Amino acid sequence: MANRPIDAHSESGPAVNAAPAMTSQPTTVVQIMPVEGMHCAACAAKVERVLRSDRAVRTADVAFATRVARVEFDPTRTTPEQLAQQVQRAGFRLAWHQDPVSRAAQEARALASLRLRFLVGSALAVPLAAMAMTHGQVAWLAGEGASWTQCALATPVFLWCGWPIHRATLSQARHFSTDMHTLVSLGTTAAYVASVWSLVQFQWTSSTHDAHMPHLWFEAAAIIIVFVLLGRLLEARATARAGDAIRALSALVTPTARVVERDGDREIERETPVAMVAPPMRVRVRPGELIPVDGEIVHGASEIDASMLTGEPLPVVKRAGDHVVAGTMNTLGVLDVVATRTSTDTMLARIIAMVHGAQSTKANIARTADRVAAIFVPAIFVVAGASFALWMIFGAAEVRVLRAFEAFVSVLVVACPCALGLATPVAVMVASGRAAQAGVLFRSAAAFEKLATIRAMVFDKTGTLTVGAPRVTRVVPQIGFESDRLLSAASSVEVSSEHPIARGIVEAAQQRNIEFLRADQFRAVAGEGATGVLRGERVLVGRRDWLVREGVCELPRETEPAFAAREGETVVSIAIETRFIGVIALEDSVRPTASAAIEQLQSRGIASWIASGDAVPAVQRVAMAVGIATERARSAMTPESKALFLRELSSQMPVAFVGDGINDAVALAAADAGIAMSSGTDVAKASADVVLVTHDLAAIGRAVALSRSTLRVIRQNLAWAFGYNLILIPLAAGVAYPWTGILLPPVFASAAMALSSVTVVMNSLRLRRA
């Protein structure tokens, strides 16, 4: 008997949190907190180092693209406030107490300020550039007055428009640190100050106000700042588009619910904040409204549209007794729903939390970029200083100062660690949102890497390839025992279990109006069966070989027709103490999309297997029905043998396991990638890398395709980010000048820098159509 829960009464909590511990009090907690003051990947690396330096912190990942930190720490040794103080000493702010609404408002204000500074800077920089580019050839744009006009136009751009850049530089300097803004601020300050000094010096020393004015870099300082602001503006807009999917999911959260209360013989409907709705409050949902909380329908019937949540296009008929989830749409009738979970523990809340969690983690492929980003800014200072020195030593006398200064500024402003920092997280951000829209949840960025490399997919049978709703086909008592007593005894134990087979047995007893009690001392044995004490006697329900090991004697031969499994059946044996009393046979139907899903995986070069605890006939029937070769269908497997089989297969090729039960947790962890069904237990979901919200198994193939596309985009982004810096930094330093005469002026360097990170973000946005 496969996939049995260890304890049907225990609740492990939301599946989006860390894997459950064996003790009731976790030793660590995971918290996702916004980080303010980060401007590049180097900043994120610094915040990460600060957090990881705390011995109470187990892991810390800081995502530059989403500006959040995911911290797993021991709450008995440190607090979010203490972590925030450490981050603040490094020049950043950990907004651990900030709610999403206030954060969104703050981001909107910052974007509006950035847009205003860009527009003002552009309005002043355009005439400034026109004056500088005429080189005195236009009379009314030439002369000493024009030079002072350039200064007047450049000053507000440098001081006011560029103030966020200079402020960030000063903040980092107070903590003896640097980031991308340090490079830009130093380059523009050098250009602006040198221009002012040249102009003032000329004013003091010149007695013949001739046409030969000193060389000025006012336009370089202003245009560099404008291009940097443009790059940040485009990057912010593109990154916001990357979060469209998660915002669409968040929009499914209703702020209020219509709670129904009794006042004598009358019913009163009261608008209540959804955060205050708790089990077992009764909620009324009218046609066209979103269901506010997870619950059970107690009155009414309707068609429920879950397309926004699971990606399933067709509405599903729901009536009294059926379960509904928050965020789905009631399309027809009025429903009365009894809440079974609070608003913070609904499936929708857990989906949103899981997507946020994936976006706040890092893929292994990003680690190299992080290591480069950590030393990037200091290395650029060395290159800029070396280029200045070499031009001063080897440059022609008449242009050495000009060339040295331009090379120094160009190297500072062309360098772009942002592209390195955005290469992976923006792609993961877009892909995780796109996957959530299709009913697939990735628990981490690394899950994309794992699933992209898979070459074998191993499926559990019950509840995975099958619907997971077995129905009793035969009740075969031992001679001298009645079938109703047999079903009653089995139901008394199975009523405490949430396993699909257990539910099938209990439903059969209820349909036949057979009374049963709830057995005491219930205990489930993963992959074997369950026991309980009924009227002082121990009742065992489970696999035949398990009953033998438990001391049950006089079992019939497995080949005896009455007790043997027929094609497609799963047979459960029952005993009281050591006396065998009969078997119950059940049959489960194959999921409608299973065959197409297996074919889809095969077309992508992925071989499919079955690993089940059920008997050979039932497993082979399902294998043939879905198109898996019978030699790849493994039956009568325990959780340990499943894990061993997966490790053996993993030594030959990357392998994924798809399961839904608590006894699948070991197999999910043993595989290179674990995929859990949404109908499975919380323990199975917590052990998996990917969770399917939809019941459509074809989503697995789509998830593999999306993972491969994501990994391909990440590699393209990293190639662009590294290639951009490796080519343009030497070009800005003047390495190619002796052979080609080509130099990269500061203005063009700033334009290239601004567009480099935008290119990475736009490439990642292609995943929205994946």
Side-chain angles (χ1 to χ4, degrees):
M1 189 170 175
N3 303 333
R4 280 193 172 275
I6 289 174
D7 185 355
H9 297 290
S10 64
E11 292 283 337
S12 62
V16 297
N17 293 334
M22 295 304 292
T23 58
S24 58
Q25 294 295 327
T27 56
T28 61
V29 296
V30 176
Q31 192 159 345
I32 298 175
M33 298 170 276
V35 182
E36 298 175 3
M38 294 194 304
H39 308 292
C40 64
C43 299
K46 289 169 193 171
V47 177
E48 202 169 89
R49 284 198 302 272
V50 170
L51 291 170
R52 290 182 177 180
S53 66
D54 191 316
R55 293 186 177 182
V57 174
R58 183 178 177 185
T59 60
D61 289 311
V62 180
F64 169 57
T66 54
R67 269 70 169 181
V68 296
R70 181 185 183 276
V71 188
E72 183 179 358
F73 61 95
D74 184 349
T76 64
R77 299 173 61 189
T78 191
T79 64
E81 296 95 323
Q82 292 171 332
L83 294 174
Q85 291 172 2
Q86 296 178 42
V87 170
Q88 188 171 8
R89 285 194 289 269
F92 306 93
R93 182 170 177 266
L94 195 66
W96 61 273
H97 58 284
Q98 189 178 48
D99 62 276
V101 175
S102 60
R103 185 189 179 196
Q106 181 179 351
E107 290 176 348
R109 289 193 299 269
L111 187 61
S113 174
L114 182 63
R115 186 184 299 109
L116 178 61
R117 293 176 190 271
F118 167 71
L119 293 175
V120 172
S122 300
L124 297 174
V126 169
L128 174 60
M131 296 177 71
M133 290 179 181
T134 60
H135 302 290
Q137 296 176 7
V138 180
W140 64 276
L141 293 177
E144 181 183 341
S147 299
W148 284 106
T149 302
Q150 289 185 44
C151 180
L153 292 171
T155 299
V157 178
F158 173 74
L159 294 178
W160 184 76
C161 299
W163 173 240
I165 300 170
H166 305 315
R167 180 177 57 196
T169 300
L170 293 174
S171 176
Q172 290 297 303
R174 283 197 298 269
H175 298 89
F176 303 99
S177 185
T178 58
D179 64 5
M180 185 204 77
H181 281 170
T182 307
L183 301 176
V184 176
S185 180
L186 184 59
T188 55
T189 300
Y192 179 80
V193 171
S195 300
V196 172
W197 173 253
S198 297
L199 189 57
V200 171
Q201 188 181 42
F202 174 80
Q203 180 71 36
W204 285 347
T205 59
S206 176
S207 58
T208 63
H209 298 281
D210 54 21
H212 300 286
M213 299 295 296
H215 195 92
L216 304 176
W217 295 276
F218 284 124
E219 85 286 355
I223 294 175
I224 287 171
I225 288 175
V226 170
F227 272 130
V228 171
L229 294 176
L230 174 63
R232 287 181 57 184
L233 187 62
L234 294 175
E235 178 189 316
R237 286 182 174 178
T239 305
R241 289 171 60 195
D244 284 347
I246 193 68
R247 279 189 291 276
L249 288 172
S250 300
L252 300 178
V253 179
T254 58
T256 61
R258 191 178 293 104
V259 175
V260 179
E261 299 175 346
R262 300 290 301 185
D263 182 12
D265 295 334
R266 295 187 309 147
E267 285 186 346
I268 300 175
E269 295 182 5
R270 193 186 308 277
E271 287 287 336
T272 304
V274 73
M276 298 179 63
V277 178
M281 288 184 177
R282 187 174 175 182
V283 176
R284 182 159 293 164
V285 187
R286 293 173 180 166
E289 294 181 342
L290 293 171
I291 294 174
V293 292
D294 291 3
E296 182 180 321
I297 299 174
V298 293
H299 184 269
S302 180
E303 290 187 353
I304 303 299
D305 182 2
S307 58
M308 281 295 294
L309 194 62
T310 67
E312 296 177 357
L314 298 178
V316 179
V317 176
K318 298 279 187 177
R319 50 181 59 89
D322 290 337
H323 188 74
V324 291
V325 298
T328 55
M329 175 73 73
N330 176 26
T331 61
L332 294 177
V334 177
L335 297 177
D336 282 3
V337 178
V338 171
T340 56
R341 291 182 182 269
T342 62
S343 62
T344 58
D345 196 29
T346 63
M347 178 185 288
L348 176 60
R350 289 185 283 176
I351 288 173
I352 294 172
M354 189 177 290
V355 176
H356 275 306
Q359 293 178 352
S360 63
T361 59
K362 288 187 177 180
N364 294 325
I365 196 172
R367 302 296 175 184
T368 301
D370 287 345
R371 287 192 291 269
V372 172
I375 61 171
F376 188 88
V377 175
I380 292 303
F381 278 126
V382 173
V383 174
S387 63
F388 182 87
L390 291 173
W391 273 105
M392 291 298 293
I393 295 172
F394 298 107
E398 64 276 10
V399 295
R400 66 175 53 162
V401 175
L402 176 63
R403 294 283 184 261
F405 185 79
E406 289 187 343
F408 176 78
V409 175
S410 294
V411 169
L412 290 179
V413 300
V414 80
C416 187
C418 287
L420 290 171
L422 293 170
T424 299
V426 175
V428 170
M429 185 178 180
V430 177
S432 58
R434 178 69 187 91
Q437 290 177 322
V440 181
L441 303 179
F442 286 81
R443 292 180 60 85
S444 67
F448 287 97
E449 291 179 287
K450 293 178 180 179
L451 204 58
T453 60
I454 292 303
R455 290 294 175 268
M457 192 79 66
V458 180
F459 292 87
D460 175 49
K461 182 182 78 68
T462 305
T464 303
L465 289 174
T466 63
V467 174
R471 56 182 181 84
V472 173
T473 55
R474 293 184 297 131
V475 179
V476 185
Q478 179 68 300
I479 297 175
F481 209 85
E482 296 178 358
S483 61
D484 285 0
R485 286 185 59 201
L486 174 63
L487 193 55
S488 176
S491 298
S492 297
V493 174
E494 298 288 44
V495 71
S496 297
S497 172
E498 293 183 356
H499 188 274
I501 289 179
R503 290 196 296 269
I505 292 174
V506 173
E507 286 174 5
Q510 292 171 338
Q511 290 170 359
R512 301 182 188 190
N513 295 320
I514 296 174
E515 295 183 358
F516 57 87
L517 304 174
R518 185 182 291 270
D520 298 323
Q521 301 177 32
F522 170 80
R523 183 174 67 90
V525 181
E528 303 287 4
T531 69
V533 176
L534 183 64
R535 299 188 183 93
E537 293 183 304
R538 185 182 182 220
V539 179
L540 300 90
V541 184
R543 292 161 55 113
R544 184 183 192 285
D545 54 353
W546 176 65
L547 265 63
V548 172
R549 293 195 299 273
E550 291 293 314
V552 177
C553 54
E554 298 182 3
L555 271 80
R557 294 189 304 274
E558 290 186 77
T559 57
E560 191 168 328
F563 299 99
R566 299 172 184 173
E567 183 179 354
E569 286 184 339
T570 296
V571 171
V572 180
S573 299
I574 301 99
I576 297 179
E577 296 294 348
T578 60
R579 182 165 65 98
F580 172 77
I581 62 172
V583 300
I584 298 175
L586 303 95
E587 189 173 24
D588 197 3
S589 57
V590 175
R591 289 188 185 273
T593 58
S595 179
I598 300 301
E599 185 178 350
Q600 189 181 60
L601 291 172
Q602 186 176 357
S603 69
R604 292 190 165 95
I606 299 175
S608 297
W609 301 68
I610 297 180
S612 173
D614 280 345
V616 174
V619 175
Q620 293 203 343
R621 182 189 73 88
V622 171
M624 289 186 289
V626 301
I628 296 177
T630 53
E631 61 268 19
R632 290 182 176 173
R634 304 297 177 92
S635 55
M637 301 189 79
T638 64
E640 291 75 17
S641 62
K642 282 185 183 180
L644 180 61
F645 167 66
L646 286 166
R647 292 189 185 99
E648 291 175 352
L649 192 59
S650 180
S651 65
Q652 305 170 29
M653 65 188 79
V655 59
F657 180 79
V658 188
D660 71 326
I662 196 170
N663 69 321
D664 291 328
V666 178
L668 288 165
D672 296 296
I675 303 173
M677 305 294 293
S678 63
S679 56
T681 64
D682 284 342
V683 175
K685 296 174 189 175
S687 303
D689 300 294
V690 180
V691 177
L692 299 184
V693 179
T694 176
H695 298 295
D696 184 4
L697 287 177
I700 297 174
R702 293 195 292 269
V704 171
L706 179 61
S707 297
R708 292 177 177 176
S709 297
T710 303
L711 199 60
R712 184 165 57 251
V713 167
I714 289 174
R715 286 171 175 159
Q716 291 169 355
N717 289 346
L718 288 174
W720 164 259
F722 279 112
Y724 163 87
N725 285 291
L726 288 174
I727 293 172
L728 290 190
I729 290 175
L731 191 64
V735 171
Y737 184 79
W739 300 277
T740 64
I742 296 176
L743 280 174
L744 189 65
V747 171
F748 291 102
S750 64
M753 185 272 290
L755 293 175
S756 62
S757 57
V758 176
T759 302
V760 166
V761 175
M762 296 304 293
N763 188 47
S764 299
L765 287 176
R766 294 190 300 115
L767 291 170
R768 297 172 73 191
R769 301 188 299 271

Tab-separated table of all heavy atoms in Angstrom, residues 288 303 409 428 475 546:
chain	number	residue	atom	x	y	z
A	288	GLY	N	-19.867	36.190	-9.810
A	288	GLY	CA	-18.936	37.210	-10.281
A	288	GLY	C	-17.935	37.659	-9.243
A	288	GLY	O	-17.091	38.511	-9.530
A	303	GLU	N	-20.417	27.043	-10.892
A	303	GLU	CA	-19.215	26.708	-11.649
A	303	GLU	C	-18.105	27.638	-11.190
A	303	GLU	O	-18.293	28.861	-11.136
A	303	GLU	CB	-19.451	26.866	-13.152
A	303	GLU	CG	-20.388	25.820	-13.723
A	303	GLU	CD	-20.477	25.906	-15.237
A	303	GLU	OE1	-19.911	26.862	-15.813
A	303	GLU	OE2	-21.104	25.010	-15.841
A	409	VAL	N	37.968	58.756	-17.215
A	409	VAL	CA	36.518	58.920	-17.058
A	409	VAL	C	35.760	57.823	-17.799
A	409	VAL	O	34.789	57.252	-17.279
A	409	VAL	CB	36.079	60.314	-17.547
A	409	VAL	CG1	34.559	60.438	-17.509
A	409	VAL	CG2	36.711	61.403	-16.689
A	428	VAL	N	14.930	34.614	-13.554
A	428	VAL	CA	14.210	33.764	-12.595
A	428	VAL	C	12.898	34.433	-12.190
A	428	VAL	O	11.859	33.774	-12.050
A	428	VAL	CB	15.082	33.483	-11.365
A	428	VAL	CG1	14.276	32.814	-10.260
A	428	VAL	CG2	16.267	32.619	-11.752
A	475	VAL	N	-15.108	-6.624	-1.552
A	475	VAL	CA	-14.818	-6.855	-0.131
A	475	VAL	C	-14.875	-8.362	0.069
A	475	VAL	O	-15.943	-8.981	-0.051
A	475	VAL	CB	-15.837	-6.151	0.787
A	475	VAL	CG1	-15.521	-6.434	2.251
A	475	VAL	CG2	-15.840	-4.648	0.525
A	546	TRP	N	3.606	-6.854	4.950
A	546	TRP	CA	3.745	-6.121	6.216
A	546	TRP	C	2.991	-6.846	7.326
A	546	TRP	O	3.480	-6.955	8.450
A	546	TRP	CB	3.226	-4.694	6.049
A	546	TRP	CG	3.248	-3.884	7.310
A	546	TRP	CD1	4.347	-3.502	8.016
A	546	TRP	CD2	2.121	-3.360	8.009
A	546	TRP	NE1	3.981	-2.770	9.118
A	546	TRP	CE2	2.611	-2.663	9.132
A	546	TRP	CE3	0.744	-3.398	7.797
A	546	TRP	CZ2	1.778	-2.015	10.048
A	546	TRP	CZ3	-0.087	-2.750	8.690
A	546	TRP	CH2	0.420	-2.065	9.803
